[in-house]
Amino acid sequence: MLRTPVAPVLLSLVAAAALSGCAKRSATDSSIGAPEPMTGAPASGPAGTAAAGAATWTSPTRTGADEAMASRDVARYDGDASVSAAPVAPMQEKKSAGLGTSYGEQRFSSVRSVRFRRADMTHPDALLSLRYNDAEGVSQMAHWKTGQYPQRANFQSGALALTLRDDAGNALPGAQIGSDVYAVGEAGARYTIGVENHSAQRYEVVASVDGLDVIDGGEADFTKRGYLIDPYTSFVIEGWRTGDDTVAAFRFSDMDDSYAGRTGKARNIGVIGLAFFREEGQVPHDELRRRDQADPFPNRYAPPPPGYRANGY
């Protein structure tokens, strides 16, 4: 029987949609939890919650004295003079163009511990990503590149799929721009990340939004742990995880009000990624794809003999 080392181990969250039995216990096994089926209602707790649709973050007010322009009247014969001043309206702070993802209101999303050992700790079997922006930003990107508009904000690689969904669970509109898929969002709107597994394997899914890990809020990294998804199931990631039973909703926002922007990590705003890691002992994703595309009759027509030329000579 293998022993679990005393050294700290990373934890994994598992999708609660049809969770399977625990994997074999091993030296590098680790455990933690997964999202329960979502109720769609904001969570309530002793600390209180923000109203649905309202983001937790608010813009800070800059301090400083208002500038004023003064005009001096002509002095009268008795030496008296008058000075008048008209205050100038302060210039409005210019916000950055485009959308980010804010740290929204709390919502119920329960997780529990499971065991999962990756076949490879640092090299995922599949990488899926979607980019997002408002309609104007997507249109500008389409002019910069070559694209088609509209379609659905969905990206699929074989049996694995990533979809951005609105508050009602519908796929957001999207655009294929070059090799990238862009989702079209609107400031203030809530969205979720749909994850689908149409294969017979179980995967660990490490997710990032704007370059930040959705579980701990730090910079995303393949070595961090994620959610588990069972074969032929799907689940949604509703927000930044704040506890075993709550998340802060994903809401489109101005870039300046985004979670990444407010934590000083705005470099990668506008992209969402999923990294899929297969479980140890399972067949690699590429091998499954090869088998799925295997052709029982690869040569349906008679090939020409060696040295044959089209003109017959």
Side-chain angles (χ1 to χ4, degrees):
M1 179 175 179
L2 297 176
R3 295 184 177 180
T4 303
V6 178
V9 294
L10 296 173
L11 303 182
S12 294
L13 302 176
V14 62
L19 291 172
S20 64
C22 296
K24 281 185 183 178
R25 186 183 187 88
S26 64
T28 57
D29 286 350
S30 57
S31 61
I32 86 168
E36 297 288 349
M38 307 303 173
T39 62
S44 59
T49 60
T56 301
W57 294 108
T58 57
S59 297
T61 303
R62 291 192 173 182
T63 60
D66 291 339
E67 294 182 355
M69 296 295 295
S71 62
R72 188 181 182 98
D73 292 339
V74 178
R76 296 196 300 272
Y77 71 95
D78 57 2
D80 291 341
S82 63
V83 177
S84 62
V88 176
M91 293 182 63
Q92 291 186 344
E93 182 180 353
K94 185 178 181 181
K95 290 185 175 292
S96 301
L99 291 181
T101 297
S102 68
Y103 191 93
E105 76 281 1
Q106 281 201 338
R107 303 184 68 86
F108 175 79
S109 175
S110 183
V111 293
R112 67 182 180 85
S113 299
V114 296
R115 296 186 183 280
F116 185 95
R117 182 172 182 176
R118 296 181 185 177
D120 191 314
M121 281 297 298
T122 58
H123 296 86
D125 286 77
L127 280 174
L128 304 183
S129 67
L130 280 175
R131 302 180 183 275
Y132 69 88
N133 208 340
D134 54 23
E136 182 181 357
V138 172
S139 178
Q140 291 174 348
M141 184 62 70
H143 283 293
W144 190 51
K145 291 185 174 181
T146 301
Q148 300 174 351
Y149 180 86
Q151 58 176 38
R152 294 194 313 162
N154 170 269
F155 182 47
Q156 186 162 353
S157 174
L160 308 173
L162 157 65
T163 306
L164 257 59
R165 301 188 178 277
D166 61 19
D167 209 1
N170 301 315
L172 291 174
Q176 179 76 42
I177 303 177
S179 59
D180 296 321
V181 176
Y182 275 76
V184 180
E186 184 177 348
R190 188 174 79 90
Y191 74 87
T192 61
I193 303 171
V195 186
E196 300 173 38
N197 178 13
H198 300 280
S199 77
Q201 300 197 64
R202 189 167 73 149
Y203 287 93
E204 180 180 4
V205 185
V206 179
S208 70
V209 172
D210 296 346
L212 303 181
D213 186 86
V214 300
I215 295 175
D216 65 14
E219 292 188 357
D221 191 292
F222 288 153
T223 61
K224 294 186 176 182
R225 305 314 297 258
Y227 293 106
L228 300 188
I229 185 167
D230 285 326
Y232 305 110
T233 61
S234 63
F235 71 96
V236 295
I237 303 173
E238 293 215 49
W240 311 99
R241 183 145 297 279
T242 57
D244 287 346
D245 298 311
T246 56
V247 295
F250 294 137
R251 285 193 179 273
F252 292 121
S253 68
D254 294 326
M255 290 180 63
D256 296 335
D257 291 332
S258 68
Y259 185 37
R262 289 192 170 276
T263 54
K265 302 170 184 176
R267 172 65 182 83
N268 297 298
I269 289 178
V271 64
I272 294 167
L274 299 179
F276 291 81
F277 293 86
R278 64 185 170 90
E279 195 166 11
E280 186 178 49
Q282 293 185 343
V283 180
H285 184 70
D286 290 342
E287 173 62 15
L288 290 176
R289 182 182 300 175
R290 185 195 66 77
R291 287 179 175 274
D292 181 61
Q293 297 175 351
D295 190 341
F297 298 98
N299 264 336
R300 290 183 171 83
Y301 305 101
Y308 174 81
R309 296 181 180 179
N311 57 12
Y313 297 99

